[in-house]
């Protein structure tokens, strides 16, 4: 079975600091997509960053970057210069190329303190 | 771009009644839409996948007669919770995949359903 594991239920970071959220996944597939979604208190799911498994280069979107280790099946999210607006639930998600189904992790609640 | 709306945002209904939730892609065409359910402090669980003009594909354990899904156009999918009961109370989220795209899903803001 394909699973996504987020081992940190809660994290906190001070404003302007850097924080890393962990995500591991289990699959026998070779081609797939990985995503990080943010769910703020409004409950709106927002795409933060995506990575295609065949690309070795780590994806980056402004203050957000990933460390994709395909052999280790690890996909961590680094948030630099944390801002108060980054406070949210963060979900790691996985999708094989050949299906529509997004498989979500259990989420990490991030609190950014002033 | 890539905005998905849901209506209503909140609904309270009596046990035994039916409730319809709409999901619209506002600025793109969505050949595929997805319906998720999220329990408090939990992750999203996929309920069903709907493709425009065809029957929805339901995940194991989801009652298709209870959760009716219609995807009649490239911008609208509806979820009808029939004969709702208190255990159906939850947060329902839809997402849409852009026509011609194979990866990213864009999510709606969700609908909180409370069944009394």
């Amino acid at each position: 079975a394909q699973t996504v594991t987020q081992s940190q239920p809660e994290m906190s970071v001070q404003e302007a600091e850097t924080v890393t959220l962990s995500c591991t996944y289990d699959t026998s597939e070779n081609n797939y997509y990985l995503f990080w979604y943010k769910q703020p208190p409004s409950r709106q799911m927002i795409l933060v960053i995506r990575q295609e498994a065949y690309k070795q280069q780590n994806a980056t979107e402004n203050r957000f970057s990933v460390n994709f280790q395909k052999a280790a099946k690890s996909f961590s999210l680094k948030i630099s210069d944390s801002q108060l607006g980054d406070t949210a639930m963060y979900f790691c998600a996985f999708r094989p190329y050949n299906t529509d189904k997004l498989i979500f992790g259990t989420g990490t609640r991030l609190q950014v303190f002033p | 771009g890539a905005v998905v709306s849901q209506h209503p945002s909140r609904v309270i209904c009596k046990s035994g009644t039916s409730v319809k939730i709409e999901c619209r892609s506002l600025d793109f065409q969505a050949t595929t839409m997805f319906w998720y359910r999220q329990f408090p402090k939990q992750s999203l669980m996929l309920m069903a996948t709907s493709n425009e003009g065809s029957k929805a594909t339901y995940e194991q354990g989801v009652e298709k007669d209870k959760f009716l899904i219609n995807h009649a156009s490239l911008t609208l999918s509806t979820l009808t919770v029939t004969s709702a009961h208190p255990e159906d109370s939850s947060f329902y989220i839809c997402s849409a995949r852009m026509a011609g795209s194979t990866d990213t899903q864009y999510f709606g803001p969700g609908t909180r359903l409370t069944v009394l």
Side-chain angles (χ1 to χ4, degrees):
Chain A
Q2 294 160 336
T3 59
V4 177
T5 301
Q6 293 179 251
S7 59
Q8 305 152 315
E10 295 185 358
M11 294 279 285
S12 61
V13 64
Q14 195 157 25
E15 199 175 8
E17 297 295 309
T18 296
V19 65
T20 298
L21 308 184
S22 301
C23 173
T24 58
Y25 56 94
D26 187 22
T27 184
S28 58
E29 301 285 339
N30 191 49
N31 296 316
Y32 47 86
Y33 299 99
L34 292 162
F35 305 87
W36 278 98
Y37 281 93
K38 168 185 177 181
Q39 188 179 42
S42 68
R43 305 295 292 272
Q44 170 76 62
M45 294 285 283
I46 301 165
L47 176 66
V48 175
I49 201 165
R50 61 186 282 275
Q51 174 87 38
E52 296 181 60
Y54 74 88
K55 290 185 178 178
Q56 292 187 336
Q57 186 173 6
N58 289 324
T60 299
E61 287 288 343
N62 301 314
R63 298 182 295 108
F64 300 88
S65 61
V66 297
N67 183 2
F68 173 47
Q69 301 289 329
K70 190 172 183 180
K73 297 179 183 174
S74 171
F75 184 61
S76 61
L77 174 69
K78 185 172 82 171
I79 306 175
S80 304
D81 186 24
S82 297
Q83 300 176 0
L84 296 178
D86 295 333
T87 293
M89 280 289 287
Y90 286 81
F91 291 99
C92 178
F94 163 91
R95 184 174 88 77
Y97 270 22
N98 60 354
T99 75
D100 282 327
K101 188 173 179 177
L102 262 179
I103 301 165
F104 285 91
T106 50
T108 295
R109 183 172 301 279
L110 176 67
Q111 179 75 50
V112 180
F113 291 98
Chain B
V3 178
V4 176
S5 71
Q6 276 184 247
H7 178 79
S9 58
R10 288 176 179 268
V11 58
I12 300 173
C13 68
K14 292 183 179 179
S15 187
T17 60
S18 294
V19 174
K20 180 184 283 188
I21 302 170
E22 292 186 349
C23 176
R24 292 182 185 272
S25 57
L26 297 184
D27 51 1
F28 65 98
Q29 292 186 328
T31 49
T32 306
M33 288 186 170
F34 306 85
W35 287 95
Y36 295 85
R37 186 172 178 176
Q38 186 179 29
F39 290 103
K41 297 185 179 180
Q42 293 190 24
S43 189
L44 280 72
M45 300 298 295
L46 180 65
M47 298 175 65
T49 301
S50 74
N51 291 295
E52 186 263 338
S54 63
K55 289 185 178 179
T57 301
Y58 290 80
E59 293 299 303
Q60 192 172 6
V62 177
E63 299 176 59
K64 66 173 93 173
D65 294 331
K66 181 165 189 61
F67 299 100
L68 300 179
I69 291 172
N70 183 279
H71 191 163
S73 78
L74 286 172
T75 59
L76 173 65
S77 176
T78 61
L79 167 68
T80 302
V81 183
T82 62
S83 186
H85 288 96
E87 58 265 30
D88 298 325
S89 297
S90 191
F91 194 68
Y92 293 88
I93 305 176
C94 75
S95 71
R97 190 174 68 207
M98 202 177 292
S101 167
T102 59
D103 53 3
T104 304
Q105 294 181 24
Y106 297 94
F107 285 81
T111 296
R112 176 164 301 287
L113 170 63
T114 303
V115 184
L116 303 176

